[in-house]
Amino acid sequence: MAGPATNSSRMSITLQSYDQVIALSQANINETLRRHFCSLDARDELGRFKAILDLKSINAQVLPPTVELVDKDNADGALYIIHLGEGSYTTVVAQTGGGEENDEESDSSFKKVKIPTNGWELAFDVDFAFKPILKIPEDIVRQVPLPGGYSVQQLMINFGDVTRIVQLDRGRSKFPIPPESKDRIDATALETGMEFFLKTYLNKKLSMREGHNILGFAVKVDEAPKNSQAHFLPTDSKVQIVGYRADGKKESFRQDNPYNAFCFTEMTKGRMMPTIEIQYSGNWFYDSIGGSLVMSRSLFWDTFMIGKVKKAHVKAVEFSGAILGMLASDKFEGKGWCLDDSMPTPEDMCGTYKGTAAWGNLAYSTTYKSSELTHWNKSDSNFANFWSSPRATVHTLAKPRTRQGEMVVQQDIEINWEEGAELADYFYLIAKTWDVRIRGSLTLTFETTISFKSVSDTGGLRVESTTRTTRKEYNEPNIRIGGLVSSLFPEGLHTLINEWASKLSDQSKDAKEALSKKVIDGLEALFGSVAEGLKHDLNQLNKFVFPGSGTFDIKDPLFSDKGDLMLGLTYR
């Protein structure tokens, strides 16, 4: 049964090795067919079901067709149902006597019987097929997000060719006959005649025309894009039917169930298409929303998003190095990375990410610690050594908020510094009572939220990012003076130490104020670019997947309990 977007049945959906799946309900397919059919000219011959065979004839209005999805092992397809409206079926039956007067024409031995066709339904088997487009329509060319290296295919209802033997599904077809004519009409002969009429209509009209049976367009790239923005277009695709299973029981499948799903299955990572079809794992639909687009965690998060998070982590590490430079600029020579001369690679900064198998709570976590260096500087009298030891630790935690349309990236930058003076080596035995130490710390925490929201006016998706400071802790330099220093050299030394601490404090305050704003500006620029890329590429998906051309609106973006990105699709 349908429920909210976060209903347990929908949240239990698994993609089973597929990267991306779009599922639409039977009702949405029929709405697409109705839209195509209603756009026809009123005089279009597809709108008339007209044929003659011997003494039988039919002339009836054709109403918009529908399909009923069929989910059978290795035999996915559908019943295509032609609905007849105003009109009549005429046949000649043998006269059995009587002289009753009615609107039926007759002669001495035969009687012409005319039956209204309102409510008649002709059902027969069809399947679905992709057909390459040699000339890509201009409206698609304008919207394809890649400059080249792609192809476009039409997804169509396949009626077969003229050699096909058309058979009515007699169990599903309907030919209601008025009670006064039932005794005069042979039901088997009627069905046989309608089967002939159907073949005529199919071969001369349905199969010869294009457009009315197009369900949409599929854009496929030649290979998975590298070093680019999101680009979630597939490298391979196929279709299948997933019938709704009440309580997951296979025997509960019914062809007329509105929750039956037509799945347009896509791959984007250049892998071979799985040979095993998706099995029913949950209801793809909710409330009045008849479609879902689900993108796997491995595609959206592991392949795309983690790379962006790593860039943000590297940027935070670079900021930590800038803070260290401000605190110790006059003590360490050169422009060494985090005060030494070995620039770590981004991989060194970020550590190893093992993908979804190592997720646990769906979070990606990484830490970088700067080199723990100590700078020594001897005094002119060689009586004491002065030293400085600043350190930085950067921690980044990123995860989606399940059952919500948000991702959160939290970054902690922790700076600790320690400076001091100790007696020279030959006074080592009493050094601990003569030393002077100044300690301080600065902790900055930034939280970036990337949120997905549907836009009712346009039917598209809005992706926004905001970065804010959630913690800014500054511990003033703490001074520790050894006992002998404090008792033997009280005057002047304390003034010197306080000036030393004040300078360090000023430097750290500058770092806290200037660098925190710089971090936010940098992260906002980075994640703003990420959000813009996501908005662009995700908004393309509802234009190029079944049924194509932007006829579906995106609703209720959220992450499932498994970390898959889920978007509702509703017919516009």
Side-chain angles (χ1 to χ4, degrees):
M1 299 298 293
T6 56
N7 72 80
S8 57
S9 179
R10 188 169 184 250
M11 290 296 99
S12 66
I13 287 173
T14 58
L15 295 188
Q16 304 164 40
S17 298
Y18 289 87
D19 288 330
Q20 189 176 180
V21 173
I22 293 108
L24 293 167
S25 70
Q26 190 165 285
N28 275 329
I29 301 175
N30 291 331
E31 184 62 26
T32 302
L33 295 176
R34 187 196 67 79
R35 179 172 59 88
H36 286 321
F37 203 84
C38 290
S39 67
L40 298 174
D41 187 277
R43 295 169 293 177
D44 195 293
E45 59 182 13
L46 280 179
R48 299 302 301 177
F49 195 91
K50 188 175 181 180
I52 299 175
L53 173 64
D54 298 332
L55 299 177
K56 303 179 183 69
S57 65
I58 190 169
N59 187 351
Q61 175 192 16
V62 180
L63 302 176
T66 59
V67 297
E68 290 183 359
L69 301 176
V70 179
D71 179 16
K72 296 180 179 178
D73 292 339
N74 302 316
D76 287 349
L79 287 177
Y80 190 90
I81 302 169
I82 298 173
H83 299 264
L84 301 184
E86 295 289 337
S88 61
Y89 169 82
T90 304
T91 187
V92 175
V93 299
Q95 181 79 294
T96 58
E100 48 193 281
E101 297 289 332
N102 53 34
D103 61 352
E104 298 164 350
E105 301 176 20
S106 63
D107 58 27
S108 57
S109 56
F110 294 94
K111 179 181 290 186
K112 184 178 291 187
V113 180
K114 185 180 293 185
I115 302 171
T117 56
N118 298 70
W120 283 24
E121 297 178 356
L122 291 77
F124 60 99
D125 292 328
V126 294
D127 57 19
F128 305 98
F130 283 116
K131 179 182 177 182
I133 300 179
L134 299 180
K135 181 174 176 57
I136 302 174
E138 283 299 320
D139 59 334
I140 291 182
V141 172
R142 288 193 298 268
Q143 298 180 76
V144 171
L146 296 178
Y150 65 89
S151 61
V152 180
Q153 293 181 314
Q154 291 178 124
L155 177 61
M156 309 176 67
I157 293 177
N158 181 26
F159 296 113
D161 55 29
V162 294
T163 64
R164 177 186 175 185
I165 299 176
V166 182
Q167 290 183 315
L168 278 175
D169 185 308
R170 301 196 178 195
R172 177 60 187 83
S173 299
K174 296 179 181 179
F175 306 105
I177 301 173
E180 65 271 15
S181 301
K182 278 191 175 181
D183 294 339
R184 302 172 185 170
I185 300 296
D186 183 321
T188 301
L190 172 62
E191 291 173 348
T192 302
M194 293 305 297
E195 207 163 64
F196 174 82
F197 293 154
L198 173 62
K199 184 172 184 178
T200 300
Y201 181 79
L202 181 63
N203 290 339
K204 292 187 177 181
K205 295 184 179 182
L206 283 181
S207 298
M208 300 299 292
R209 295 283 299 277
E210 294 183 352
H212 66 94
N213 60 332
I214 296 176
L215 298 181
F217 300 95
V219 178
K220 298 199 301 183
V221 294
D222 295 339
E223 60 181 19
K226 299 176 181 178
N227 301 322
S228 64
Q229 289 187 322
H231 296 326
F232 300 118
L233 294 177
T235 53
D236 200 1
S237 58
K238 72 174 185 181
V239 297
Q240 74 166 91
I241 309 301
V242 177
Y244 173 74
R245 317 291 197 206
D247 299 322
K249 296 178 180 178
K250 188 172 183 179
E251 59 271 16
S252 66
F253 169 72
R254 290 185 10 241
Q255 286 179 194
D256 61 347
N257 193 298
Y259 302 131
N260 291 339
F262 180 98
C263 289
F264 183 104
T265 308
E266 299 185 336
M267 300 287 297
T268 66
K269 293 171 63 177
R271 297 185 289 114
M272 293 184 63
M273 182 71 71
T275 57
I276 300 176
E277 291 193 336
I278 291 179
Q279 303 301 306
Y280 178 84
S281 58
N283 186 12
W284 289 87
F285 314 123
Y286 62 98
D287 290 338
S288 60
I289 306 300
S292 289
L293 184 156
V294 183
M295 189 178 296
S296 71
R297 184 175 71 188
S298 63
L299 173 63
F300 182 79
W301 191 257
D302 296 357
T303 303
F304 171 73
M305 199 62 214
I306 291 303
K308 308 303 182 184
V309 172
K310 286 185 175 182
K311 286 185 178 180
H313 180 72
V314 169
K315 188 172 288 290
V317 173
E318 291 173 345
F319 284 132
S320 74
I323 295 174
L324 292 181
M326 292 181 67
L327 293 174
S329 58
D330 59 342
K331 302 179 181 65
F332 288 77
E333 297 179 357
K335 299 179 180 179
W337 177 254
C338 288
L339 310 183
D340 70 5
D341 294 323
S342 58
M343 173 71 171
T345 64
E347 290 75 16
D348 292 336
M349 296 183 208
C350 298
T352 302
Y353 176 60
K354 296 181 180 179
T356 56
W359 266 34
N361 63 348
L362 303 184
Y364 166 68
S365 178
T366 189
T367 299
Y368 174 78
K369 291 184 178 181
S370 69
S371 303
E372 296 189 9
L373 299 178
T374 301
H375 171 79
W376 292 90
N377 181 31
K378 291 185 178 182
S379 64
D380 295 337
S381 63
N382 292 328
F383 179 75
N385 294 326
F386 297 91
W387 56 271
S388 177
S389 181
R391 297 177 301 280
T393 301
V394 178
H395 176 69
T396 297
L397 174 69
K399 61 181 178 180
R401 286 177 172 158
T402 59
R403 304 199 176 197
Q404 299 180 53
E406 291 184 347
M407 298 179 293
V408 180
V409 182
Q410 180 177 302
Q411 297 181 277
D412 298 296
I413 300 177
E414 184 177 346
I415 307 295
N416 291 282
W417 62 88
E418 193 170 9
E419 299 195 9
E422 294 181 356
L423 291 177
D425 295 344
Y426 44 85
F427 293 107
Y428 178 75
L429 292 177
I430 58 173
K432 295 306 177 186
T433 60
W434 283 79
D435 69 339
V436 178
R437 290 173 183 259
I438 301 177
R439 294 175 179 173
S441 66
L442 170 64
T443 301
L444 300 172
T445 298
F446 306 98
E447 184 177 278
T448 298
T449 301
I450 299 178
S451 56
F452 301 82
K453 298 177 182 178
S454 55
V455 183
S456 58
D457 293 344
T458 65
L461 193 68
R462 183 169 71 245
V463 185
E464 299 174 337
S465 73
T466 56
T467 301
R468 62 192 182 96
T469 305
T470 59
R471 183 173 62 161
K472 188 187 295 186
E473 294 181 359
Y474 168 61
N475 293 320
E476 290 280 353
N478 176 264
I479 303 171
R480 173 186 175 276
I481 303 175
L484 287 178
V485 172
S486 180
S487 60
L488 297 180
F489 303 98
E491 294 184 7
L493 182 59
H494 285 282
T495 301
L496 176 63
I497 292 173
N498 288 332
E499 290 177 354
W500 186 11
S502 176
K503 178 182 178 183
L504 188 59
S505 177
D506 290 342
Q507 290 173 327
S508 56
K509 284 180 179 178
D510 291 342
K512 181 184 71 169
E513 299 302 328
L515 269 299
S516 62
K517 184 180 186 305
K518 190 175 181 182
V519 171
I520 287 181
D521 291 345
L523 293 177
E524 283 183 340
L526 172 65
F527 285 113
S529 173
V530 172
E532 191 63 28
L534 284 172
K535 180 180 73 172
H536 175 271
D537 288 345
L538 291 175
N539 277 325
Q540 299 300 323
L541 294 178
N542 70 327
K543 297 178 181 178
F544 296 107
V545 299
F546 172 95
S549 302
T551 55
F552 274 81
D553 291 350
I554 294 176
K555 299 287 185 181
D556 307 313
L558 57 84
F559 289 95
S560 72
D561 295 341
K562 302 172 185 65
D564 298 330
L565 176 62
M566 308 186 86
L567 306 175
L569 297 177
T570 183
Y571 192 85
R572 173 175 288 190

